[in-house]
Amino acid sequence: MRIVSHSRLATVLSGLPGVPRVVAGGNFATPRRALAILDAAVPEYRLFMLNAQGETPDRDGVTLETPFVGPGMRGRPNLRYFPCRLSLVPHLLGGSLPPDVVVVQTSRPVGGTVSLGIEVNILPAAIEAARARGGLVIAQINPRMPYTYGDGVMAVEEFDHAIEADEPLAVPVPREPGEASREIGERVARLVPERATLQLGIGAVPDAVLASLRERRGLAIWSEMFSDGVLALEKAGALDATPITASFAFGGEELYDWADRNERIRMLRTEKTNDPGLIARRPRLVSVNSALQVDLFAQANASRVKGAIYSGFGGQTDFVVGALHSPGGRAIIALPSWHPRADVSTVIPRLAGPVTSFQHSFIVSEQGTAAVWGHDASAQAQQIVDRVAHPSVRGELREEGRRLGFALR
């Protein structure tokens, strides 16, 4: 690793041939200073990120690429969306989408190593793929980045160049869960067995689930990500002694401070955290994910709004499959029965677009809980209408369900 000035890095990057593909850290670990230097130095390039937050380069010459669309890329005309399970994204980078440059944010060097901190995810695979084809690996060293243990600990020799940038890590905007989210959280918590291993995604509903589990004991975490709610479980004594395992963290400053040099936390690469086979080895793995819509076929759409890509598969498909194969495991989809902003039911007769996941154990809303697994198709649809859908649309759903062939009362 050679620490260089910003101007020197710009000179290096300006010499890149062709239209390079740049893989950068996403979520709240985006190396914004290094990306700004690259954007000013390279006229045309492809930018590959997961769940990009905040502002991303948006100009002629920049093509945005992702298998999971974050707010920083959502709705952009220059976006290329690649449908892909998160566990398989490293294979994309090692095959059809090889990176020429990888730009990451790291901790300060310690003993000849740096840590990728709160964002491990697909980055080790991206670095390996770039190295294999002689690409550049660039670090933005930030003393505020936690030093986390696991697959994100890398030798400084893995990096060609580095710049220093002392700046606060981005954090999500705090949101108090509404009444519907709290009710859903309590319902989901009742489905979590003793000594369960938890996987939860991002959003108000997963946060509400965690808040409803603080009185439990002996819980474990094996998840794609963890948030402030996991720290609250730790403070409450709800977690067992096994390592908290994830591939990225998504929370506030207190969470990041807690993660720094914490032996309790293991940040692993996506190929491990999201491998359905490894997930299935965890007993009583309870996967809790949200969706934009569910239908009477017990299918979930967590990816598209009115046909346009909104997010993507993420890790939902990986964890639904893994949880169903876990001894005593459960795959739960949790969502409000009514979308407040769109003012529409989230339960519809049949999805019009691609399905994100299906064959869940339970579907939960603030109205109730539908047991899906082990019931015939009509019984599944009946429970979704009676227990998940908003009362104002149940009559319409029953009529439409009968037209679709369900024997509904």
Side-chain angles (χ1 to χ4, degrees), residues 188-364:
V188 171
R190 291 197 283 269
L191 300 174
V192 176
E194 295 300 317
R195 296 177 292 110
T197 298
L198 303 174
Q199 176 266 323
L200 295 104
I202 300 168
V205 169
D207 288 346
V209 173
L210 291 170
S212 298
L213 291 170
R214 293 179 189 175
E215 301 304 315
R216 296 291 188 87
R217 295 295 178 265
L219 300 175
I221 305 292
W222 180 288
S223 186
E224 173 186 321
M225 56 80 65
F226 69 94
S227 63
D228 296 320
V230 170
L231 174 55
L233 288 184
E234 175 80 344
K235 287 181 176 180
L239 300 181
D240 69 8
T242 60
I244 296 163
T245 302
S247 69
F248 70 94
F250 201 91
E253 291 181 10
E254 185 182 6
L255 184 76
Y256 300 157
D257 290 342
W258 175 63
D260 187 38
R261 300 178 183 274
N262 190 339
E263 293 281 359
R264 290 270 288 124
I265 296 171
R266 283 291 180 272
M267 303 293 278
L268 303 183
R269 53 200 295 162
T270 294
E271 302 95 310
K272 296 178 184 177
T273 59
N274 286 57
D275 181 339
L278 293 180
I279 295 166
R281 294 180 191 175
R282 306 287 305 186
R284 299 173 298 280
L285 191 293
V286 179
S287 169
V288 183
N289 288 284
S290 192
L292 299 165
Q293 296 171 313
V294 295
D295 68 10
L296 300 185
F297 294 89
Q299 303 176 127
N301 162 32
S303 301
R304 292 180 176 268
V305 174
K306 296 181 179 179
I309 187 63
Y310 183 82
S311 55
F313 298 164
Q316 183 165 307
T317 51
D318 296 322
F319 276 94
V320 165
V321 172
L324 289 172
H325 286 273
S326 161
R330 293 174 169 180
I332 300 170
I333 292 294
L335 77 170
S337 65
W338 197 264
H339 195 295
R341 280 181 292 181
D343 196 28
V344 295
S345 171
T346 60
V347 181
I348 61 176
R350 180 167 60 186
L351 295 182
V355 175
T356 305
S357 62
F358 59 95
Q359 200 176 50
H360 313 99
S361 306
F362 299 94
I363 299 175
V364 181

Side-chain angles (χ1 to χ4, degrees), residues 44-55:
E44 191 174 359
Y45 64 97
R46 295 163 290 188
L47 178 60
F48 186 104
M49 294 173 67
L50 279 183
N51 199 25
Q53 303 290 311
E55 296 181 2

Side-chain angles (χ1 to χ4, degrees), residues 49-248:
M49 294 173 67
L50 279 183
N51 199 25
Q53 303 290 311
E55 296 181 2
T56 54
D58 185 17
R59 61 171 176 81
D60 290 341
V62 179
T63 300
L64 303 176
E65 299 180 334
T66 189
F68 193 86
V69 183
M73 291 186 176
R74 190 167 295 140
R76 299 284 187 84
N78 55 340
L79 174 66
R80 298 177 71 206
Y81 166 65
F82 292 86
C84 185
R85 294 172 181 245
L86 192 56
S87 62
L88 296 177
V89 173
H91 294 281
L92 279 181
L93 299 175
S96 58
L97 301 177
D100 301 290
V101 182
V102 179
V103 187
V104 298
Q105 194 165 189
T106 75
S107 70
R108 286 182 292 196
V110 176
T113 65
V114 293
S115 173
L116 296 175
I118 62 172
E119 178 82 1
V120 175
N121 219 328
I122 63 167
L123 297 177
I127 290 170
E128 291 167 3
R131 280 267 171 244
R133 67 196 314 252
L136 283 177
V137 181
I138 297 165
Q140 177 180 308
I141 299 172
N142 186 351
R144 307 194 199 200
M145 175 64 80
Y147 192 105
T148 60
Y149 300 109
D151 293 337
V153 175
M154 311 192 75
V156 295
E157 289 80 14
E158 293 293 323
F159 300 87
D160 297 295
H161 304 285
I163 61 167
E164 295 178 313
D166 184 342
E167 56 189 21
L169 296 174
V171 299
V173 177
R175 293 179 298 182
E176 282 295 320
E179 183 177 345
S181 294
R182 285 192 292 269
E183 178 64 30
I184 294 169
E186 291 173 3
R187 291 185 183 277
V188 171
R190 291 197 283 269
L191 300 174
V192 176
E194 295 300 317
R195 296 177 292 110
T197 298
L198 303 174
Q199 176 266 323
L200 295 104
I202 300 168
V205 169
D207 288 346
V209 173
L210 291 170
S212 298
L213 291 170
R214 293 179 189 175
E215 301 304 315
R216 296 291 188 87
R217 295 295 178 265
L219 300 175
I221 305 292
W222 180 288
S223 186
E224 173 186 321
M225 56 80 65
F226 69 94
S227 63
D228 296 320
V230 170
L231 174 55
L233 288 184
E234 175 80 344
K235 287 181 176 180
L239 300 181
D240 69 8
T242 60
I244 296 163
T245 302
S247 69
F248 70 94

